[in-house]
Amino acid sequence: MTSAPLIVPSVLPADLARVGAEVAELCAAGVDRVQWDVMDGVFVPNLTFGPDLIAAAREHSSVGFEAHLMVVEPERLLDRYVDAGCELLIVHAEACTHLHRTLSRIRELGVRSGVALNPHSTAATVAHVLSEVDLVLAMTVNPGFGGQSYIPAVEPKIAALRRLIDDSGFPIELEVDGGITDGTIVGAAAAGADVFISGSWLYAHAHGKPAAVDLLRMQAVKGATGKEAA
Ligand code: DX5
């Protein structure tokens, strides 16, 4: 881990009837960004957030928004999510016929670009687009739903991505998403991740969101350094 761990909640478990207040609560809890899981019912068997809902929540947030686009042909929708206030757009390598072109297009729109890999996809899939990305996302569940169990078999790939990124010399964040808890974050951090998405565990934490965020951050440092956080 080259920098302090970033803790980013997924909005999927939020009470959508009060999404603005929910986002403000997450900011008050000390999160570093907010992730919107955008699902189209085709790339994944679930349907979630359009750009208008995200735009409506934008004024309630003091932190940046990232959109995790779990959609087919994401190039059709990039402008809409930038206009909605997302500063980082993440597309799936498995959904892009022309991945290099799509990542370059995201940067042309003036925002940061990210590429996501499903659990079965290899690290080599992104080896030739590292110059076009600001973030690589290794899914630690099969995308489409919150509340699933973390897949430890992804950790060797996280380590391979860490080596690829370090060897490239580019300042690329390595994010993991799916089943992240105070337990599983240790292994993901030890493998080399430095950005951590958490949904159901963070929302369900008995002591509330601020305590959950602090605990995740402490455990990530422990995983990365092998020592308890100071
Ligand atoms: C799943 C999403 C994740 C999910 C995380 O497809 O990409 O962001 O919402 O939720 P938990 O932490 O509950 O696995």
Side-chain angles (χ1 to χ4, degrees), residues 94-113:
E94 302 87 359
C96 296
T97 307
H98 303 290
L99 179 60
H100 188 282
R101 180 185 291 150
T102 302
L103 294 167
S104 314
R105 174 70 187 140
I106 294 172
R107 284 192 167 163
E108 281 166 17
L109 290 168
V111 298
R112 298 197 310 146
S113 62

Side-chain angles (χ1 to χ4, degrees), residues 10-14 37 39 46 139-151 177-181 197-204:
S10 155
V11 183
L12 213 53
D37 288 309
M39 303 179 186
N46 200 353
M139 290 301 301
T140 43
V141 297
N142 290 295
F145 304 95
Q148 300 181 82
S149 298
Y150 176 83
I151 303 172
D177 180 10
I180 295 296
T181 69
I197 305 292
S198 184
S200 49
W201 182 87
L202 190 152
Y203 270 80

